[in-house]
Amino acid sequence: MKKVIIVTMASLFLMACSDSGGGSSSSSGGGGGSSDGGTGSNPPPAADSPIASDDSEPVKTQDLVAPEGFTFNPVISQTLKINLSGSLPARTHLTIYSGFKDKEGGGFIVDYDSKVIDSSISNGEGMIEFSVAESQSSIAAEIWSYDGSDPLQRKFEIDGGELVWE
């Protein structure tokens, strides 16, 4: 009995997944026949059809032209030079963020999940190289000291040149 049910279910499944009778040349009035008069061929495409005709050549990759300066690399390298000697304690920590929101009273709130890089700074001087997305227009940087005070914050506009914090 189980085998009969399995065979019946498999048959129903195959019938449901099969073509619905297209290509039948009978004129029984059923909806399963093709609409091209039973010839089994499709009509030729219209003259204004987007399908390429036989006399036109397809576009090849080598024929494509990219604008001057175009690159497939969506990441750019940046350098941040820090020269705050004399105004910072001997040991500090720098963190750069790609996501932040400006506060109404000045400053900004960083999105800690958007950290790009962090590094220690000795005697208020350092140079940090990092990469950001080409679409990134600005970054936020914070310098934390180990005395528990609030961090120094600064926003930098990404313009392709070296960023300097003095």
Side-chain angles (χ1 to χ4, degrees):
M1 184 66 177
K2 274 185 169 180
K3 291 181 180 179
V4 172
I5 292 174
I6 292 174
V7 170
T8 305
M9 294 299 286
S11 299
L12 290 173
F13 177 75
L14 289 174
M15 285 191 295
C17 292
S18 69
D19 191 354
S20 61
S24 170
S25 61
S26 68
S27 59
S28 64
S34 63
S35 62
D36 60 358
T39 62
S41 65
N42 291 330
D48 60 345
S49 172
I51 298 173
S53 63
D54 292 336
D55 59 337
S56 68
E57 292 185 34
V59 176
K60 297 178 183 173
T61 304
Q62 64 202 27
D63 297 334
L64 299 176
V65 178
E68 189 68 33
F70 179 79
T71 177
F72 284 105
N73 188 2
V75 177
I76 56 174
S77 296
Q78 280 296 146
T79 302
L80 174 60
K81 182 178 179 181
I82 300 161
N83 187 10
L84 297 173
S85 60
S87 61
L88 290 177
R91 290 182 51 211
T92 53
H93 191 83
L94 169 77
T95 308
I96 298 174
Y97 303 95
S98 61
F100 59 93
K101 294 180 184 176
D102 292 322
K103 289 195 297 190
E104 289 181 22
F108 45 85
I109 300 171
V110 296
D111 176 9
Y112 292 111
D113 291 332
S114 71
K115 179 171 57 172
V116 175
I117 191 169
D118 59 357
S119 178
S120 62
I121 302 172
S122 296
N123 300 321
E125 293 183 355
M127 183 174 282
I128 288 93
E129 293 181 6
F130 58 96
S131 298
V132 292
E134 190 176 43
S135 61
Q136 188 79 30
S137 62
S138 59
I139 58 166
E142 288 184 331
I143 296 180
W144 293 84
S145 61
Y146 293 98
D147 62 3
S149 60
D150 289 337
L152 297 174
Q153 292 183 322
R154 182 151 178 205
K155 183 166 96 172
F156 294 94
E157 299 299 321
I158 304 290
D159 59 2
E162 183 178 79
L163 308 173
V164 179
W165 190 346
E166 293 183 311

